[in-house]
Amino acid sequence: MDLPRIITVRESEHRLHNPFTPEKLAALGEALRLAPGTRVLDLASGSGEMLCTWARDLGVTGTGVDISTLFTEQARARAAELGVADQVSFVHGDAAGHVSDEPVDLAACVGATWIGGGVPGTVDLLARSLRPGGLMLIGEPYWRREVPDQETAEGCLARGPRDFLLLPGLIGLFGDLGYDVVEMVLADQDSWDRYQAAQWLTLRRWLDAHPGDELAPEVRSTLDTDPVRYARYQREFLGWGVFALMRK
């Protein structure tokens, strides 16, 4: 049980596996006005940066669940590095279907709504762990503007123009699901650059160190195509944000 190897290779040097900078992550934590001792469940927690830094800076406690062996190891190491291993823990497991044994104050899935088959299913999944009156965090892509054709959508790694909504449509969807949007922090083009472009150096250094690896042709192909694809399509059309929700 793990992520595809290409994903762990390309994001192995990332602390945040989404187009957020540390500054945006900190701004989100401050905006939520979390009290010390807030209990958090983070599904698809990646390398644990959100839980670990919020435990250090805001005093939260909680658990992260992620399917990646590498990212879970990195999360545990980060907790030890920041001195918060007594506040947060990380479980290697499939976040899809994971429900907390006890209700939490904040339930999050930041950038992996595939665990619930999309936004509605992930909202339902998180709600099963959330106490009444608690906060829910959903990280999700959206179209920055209307997508003109199938080629553009595929250039953004989507199956088609209907894969994502425009920002007003996404916010409206949360309302239709029975939630108020009470905060949001959005990625910008610079934070997208830091997420995407940093992968190219990681991939190139990995390729130089592993030229005979069976994954090398896929890495070479990615390096040949990703920078232009990202600049032509994804950087211009795809947005991403984290939305804080409360049940109406």
Side-chain angles (χ1 to χ4, degrees):
M1 180 174 59
D2 215 323
L3 288 173
R5 190 171 171 226
I6 184 63
I7 296 176
T8 57
V9 168
R10 71 187 297 159
E11 298 199 20
S12 58
E13 298 298 320
H14 282 36
R15 284 183 173 166
L16 291 168
H17 302 283
N18 53 61
F20 253 18
T21 59
E23 292 77 18
K24 284 186 177 290
L25 182 64
L28 175 63
E30 293 174 2
L32 297 177
R33 311 171 201 170
L34 303 176
T38 295
R39 296 163 297 168
V40 179
L41 174 66
D42 187 9
L43 298 185
S45 52
S47 296
E49 192 71 0
M50 186 176 80
L51 266 178
C52 290
T53 56
W54 287 6
R56 178 195 63 190
D57 299 336
L58 305 173
V60 308
T61 64
T63 301
V65 182
D66 199 272
I67 200 170
S68 169
T69 303
L70 173 64
F71 296 163
T72 303
E73 292 173 352
Q74 290 178 335
R76 291 168 178 162
R78 184 64 166 155
E81 176 188 3
L82 297 185
V84 295
D86 60 335
Q87 295 170 246
V88 296
S89 61
F90 295 94
V91 176
H92 174 239
D94 189 354
H98 183 95
V99 177
S100 176
D101 292 336
E102 298 181 0
V104 298
D105 303 308
L106 188 156
C109 177
V110 178
T113 56
W114 52 265
I115 68 171
V119 169
T122 301
V123 167
D124 287 344
L125 173 61
L126 293 174
R128 294 165 62 190
S129 296
L130 192 62
R131 68 165 175 81
L135 280 168
M136 182 182 296
L137 295 183
I138 295 283
E140 180 70 2
Y142 59 88
W143 295 125
R144 297 181 64 227
R145 60 178 187 268
E146 293 284 354
V147 176
D149 49 39
Q150 180 69 18
E151 177 184 340
T152 301
E154 292 179 0
C156 296
L157 305 181
R159 292 168 296 182
R162 300 183 66 179
D163 246 18
F164 306 122
L165 299 168
L166 293 167
L167 182 58
L170 179 57
I171 292 174
L173 173 61
F174 293 134
D176 293 342
L177 294 172
Y179 288 82
D180 289 322
V181 176
V182 297
E183 255 295 358
M184 69 179 187
V185 176
L186 305 180
D188 55 27
Q189 287 183 316
D190 181 64
S191 56
W192 266 111
D193 292 347
R194 299 288 24 89
Y195 174 56
Q196 291 288 152
Q199 296 175 18
W200 307 333
L201 180 58
T202 298
L203 289 171
R204 175 54 195 267
R205 287 181 170 167
W206 182 93
L207 188 62
D208 289 346
H210 305 88
D213 192 283
E214 63 180 5
L215 193 64
E218 184 175 358
V219 172
R220 178 70 266 167
S221 176
T222 299
L223 281 170
D224 287 342
T225 59
D226 252 29
V228 171
R229 178 199 58 76
Y230 168 70
R232 179 173 294 158
Y233 299 114
Q234 192 170 348
R235 192 174 191 270
E236 298 302 316
F237 284 91
L238 194 62
W240 191 88
V242 181
F243 303 87
L245 315 176
M246 295 182 71
R247 173 70 76 175
K248 292 183 180 180

